């Protein structure tokens, strides 16, 4: 029996290797059957443009970032013949279902969301869309009878919100409309650190872009904050090593780090080589795909058609359950 997989990325800027290892790589691996041997998935991968609208409020930029993200999806190996690739705003059922959920979700419950609490702690005057973010995300997930949601650690709470909202809806409306989704979070890459050791994040300016040029890789790696990790680490710069492990196994890295203990420059140069060797083919694939914008638009059109069929069927069930139909 095939399981339903759904996940999304916000088009808020160039994806970085944290997005890739934490989530996007799993999209491709699971699409291609490289997950647990017995499981195969119907994959739904989308561009969360309405979520991004909380941040990107410039039409040209939104258009460009959206097309860019679809190119990124294709370049890492998402295949429109195997996966439904679409953008959120092309499927109105997402926002319609979010409204239905709004009527059963309370404000104190949403105030417990990490993202809201962070914004509040920084005294930011947040918009209603940001406050409501988890509700739209619950709609994204629940519309497709999703079983699994591959994400990084920072999205775990959002998947829990989706589960809670599904349970609450089913309970209030005495139905079994929504399935309970599970996150897929790989422990070793749950939170990929950035070049300053904090979580890699577009908003911290500490990223290595997934399609970075060699120069960009070089610049970012040379800026990695080196900390010898204390005497017990034996001259191994922790941040460099942790990053390196994304690209090579510990066994492969051991001799390099033993021979060059304390020699940060040599270790960083080796890291640049390994990141570039990994990114180069992706970068080249992306460049080729970028020459055919029509193809990207077609992928989104087909994806929207397929996603709308599924989402509308589920929305209809929800509308019957609440009694507007
Ligand atoms: P977004 O666009 O912030 O990030 C996309 C994915 O990348 C993961 N990620 C990381 N993983 C490991 N280490 C990191 N440093 C790191 N930084 C980011 C995120 O956990 C995410 O999986 N709310 C979502 C978008 C979304 C969504 C959905 C996802 C909207 N609706 C429905 C799943 C299902 C977001 O902001 O992701």
């Amino acid at each position: 029996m095939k399981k339903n997989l759904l996940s999304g990325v916000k088009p808020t800027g160039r994806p970085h290797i944290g997005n890739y290892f934490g989530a996007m790589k799993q999209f491709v691996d699971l699409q291609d059957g490289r997950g647990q041997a017995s499981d195969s998935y119907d994959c739904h991968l989308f561009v969360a443009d309405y979520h991004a609208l909380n941040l990107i409020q410039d039409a040209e930029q939104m258009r460009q970032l959206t097309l860019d993200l679809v190119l990124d999806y294709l370049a890492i190996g998402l295949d429109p013949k195997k996966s439904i690739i679409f953008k959120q705003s092309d499927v109105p059922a997402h926002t319609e279902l979010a409204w239905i959920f709004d009527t059963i979700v309370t404000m104190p419950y949403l105030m417990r969301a990490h993202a809201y609490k962070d914004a509040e702690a920084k005294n930011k005057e947040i918009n209603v869309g940001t406050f409501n973010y988890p509700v739209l995300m619950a709609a994204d997930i629940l519309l497709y009878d999703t079983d699994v949601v591959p994400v990084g650690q920072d999205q775990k709470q959002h998947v829990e919100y989706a589960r809670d909202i599904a349970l609450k809806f089913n309970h209030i409306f005495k139905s079994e409309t929504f399935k309970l989704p599970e996150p897929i979070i790989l422990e070793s890459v749950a939170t990929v650190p950035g070049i300053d050791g904090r979580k890699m994040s577009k908003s911290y300016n500490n990223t290595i872009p997934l399609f970075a040029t060699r120069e960009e890789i070089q610049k970012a790696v040379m800026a990695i904050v080196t900390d010898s990790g204390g005497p017990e680490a034996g001259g191994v710069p922790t941040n460099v090593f942790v990053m390196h492990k994304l690209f090579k196994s510990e066994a492969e890295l051991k001799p390099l780090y033993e021979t060059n203990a304390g020699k940060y420059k040599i270790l960083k140069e080796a890291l640049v080589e390994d990141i570039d060797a990994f990114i180069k083919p992706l970068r080249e694939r992306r460049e080729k795909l970028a020459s055919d914008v029509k193809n990207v638009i077609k992928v989104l059109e087909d994806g929207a058609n397929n996603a709308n069929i599924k989402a509308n069927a589920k929305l209809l069930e929800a509308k019957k359950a609440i009694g507007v139909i």
Side-chain angles (χ1 to χ4, degrees):
M1 184 56 182
K2 274 196 163 185
K3 291 185 173 175
N4 285 318
L5 176 152
L6 174 135
S7 197
V9 177
K10 286 191 309 257
T12 48
R14 292 164 82 194
H16 49 69
I17 60 172
N19 298 128
Y20 179 72
F21 287 103
M24 294 163 76
K25 180 171 187 296
Q26 280 66 264
F27 305 171
V28 185
D29 286 348
L30 297 171
Q31 166 198 266
D32 292 341
R34 287 191 295 271
Q36 289 193 345
S38 59
D39 289 333
S40 64
Y41 298 94
D42 276 329
C43 297
H44 310 76
L45 284 325
F46 72 101
V47 174
D49 54 352
Y50 274 161
H51 276 117
L53 186 59
N54 286 308
L55 212 73
I56 305 297
Q57 302 186 336
D58 175 284
E60 233 0 88
Q61 216 188 350
M62 177 66 89
R63 267 181 217 115
Q64 192 58 50
L65 288 170
T66 300
L67 291 179
D68 281 348
L69 186 53
V70 180
L71 276 174
D72 299 339
Y73 274 175
L74 299 175
I76 61 170
L78 285 186
D79 179 351
K81 291 198 194 75
K82 299 183 191 165
S83 292
I84 299 183
I85 300 171
F86 66 101
K87 71 178 205 279
Q88 193 180 28
S89 62
D90 280 338
V91 185
H94 290 235
T95 40
E96 193 170 344
L97 184 60
W99 173 261
I100 295 174
F101 289 158
D102 276 345
T103 64
I104 62 169
V105 170
T106 69
M107 290 189 35
Y109 176 71
L110 286 182
M111 283 172 179
R112 293 206 289 274
H114 301 316
Y116 171 74
K117 285 205 279 196
D118 288 351
E120 223 205 0
K122 288 181 197 137
N123 268 332
K124 281 195 190 151
E125 195 168 284
I126 69 162
N127 56 29
V128 177
T130 302
F131 183 63
N132 223 16
Y133 191 107
V135 180
L136 179 57
M137 187 155 156
D140 298 337
I141 296 173
L142 298 177
L143 272 173
Y144 299 87
D145 279 340
T146 301
D147 297 286
V148 294
V149 189
V151 281
Q153 179 67 27
D154 61 355
Q155 299 299 316
K156 184 168 188 256
Q157 192 192 35
H158 286 147
V159 181
E160 285 161 5
Y161 269 69
R163 288 175 65 90
D164 286 349
I165 292 173
L167 276 170
K168 193 166 186 185
F169 181 99
N170 290 348
H171 176 73
I172 292 176
F173 297 105
K174 299 180 190 62
S175 73
E176 289 186 12
T177 310
F178 295 113
K179 217 183 208 180
L180 302 190
E182 296 276 356
I184 294 185
I185 299 172
L186 298 190
E187 207 182 308
S188 60
V189 286
T191 305
V192 174
I195 61 172
D196 57 0
R198 293 188 294 167
K199 179 190 130 182
M200 188 175 286
S201 166
K202 286 165 209 162
S203 52
Y204 293 160
N205 232 340
N206 65 354
T207 69
I208 299 185
L210 175 57
F211 297 94
T213 61
R214 188 180 169 90
E215 293 67 41
E216 285 174 318
I217 298 169
Q218 227 150 8
K219 198 166 161 234
V221 169
M222 291 309 156
I224 294 178
V225 177
T226 40
D227 148 17
S228 62
E232 68 283 5
V236 172
T238 326
N239 294 334
V240 179
F241 186 62
V242 168
M243 190 82 80
H244 220 152
K245 276 198 298 182
L246 296 168
F247 301 91
K248 275 197 169 150
S249 71
E250 257 180 78
E252 282 174 289
L253 292 175
K254 207 166 167 253
L256 174 74
Y257 278 75
E258 272 173 9
T259 320
N260 296 295
K263 298 180 187 155
Y264 299 161
K265 186 155 183 286
I266 293 181
L267 293 171
K268 282 185 169 182
E269 277 163 2
L271 176 58
V272 170
E273 285 311 319
D274 288 333
I275 299 182
D276 194 42
F278 175 81
I279 289 185
K280 194 166 178 252
L282 293 180
R283 217 166 44 210
E284 289 174 354
R285 218 174 117 91
R286 194 183 185 287
E287 265 165 36
K288 270 200 203 120
L289 288 160
S291 62
D292 190 358
V293 180
K294 275 200 191 123
N295 176 50
V296 178
I297 292 168
K298 172 90 171 60
V299 167
L300 284 179
E301 276 171 8
D302 292 348
N305 288 337
N306 290 322
N308 269 304
I309 292 170
K310 292 195 171 188
N312 286 337
K314 185 52 66 176
L315 181 65
L316 188 67
E317 261 185 70
K319 288 171 85 169
K320 282 185 184 154
I322 61 176
V324 295
I325 289 182

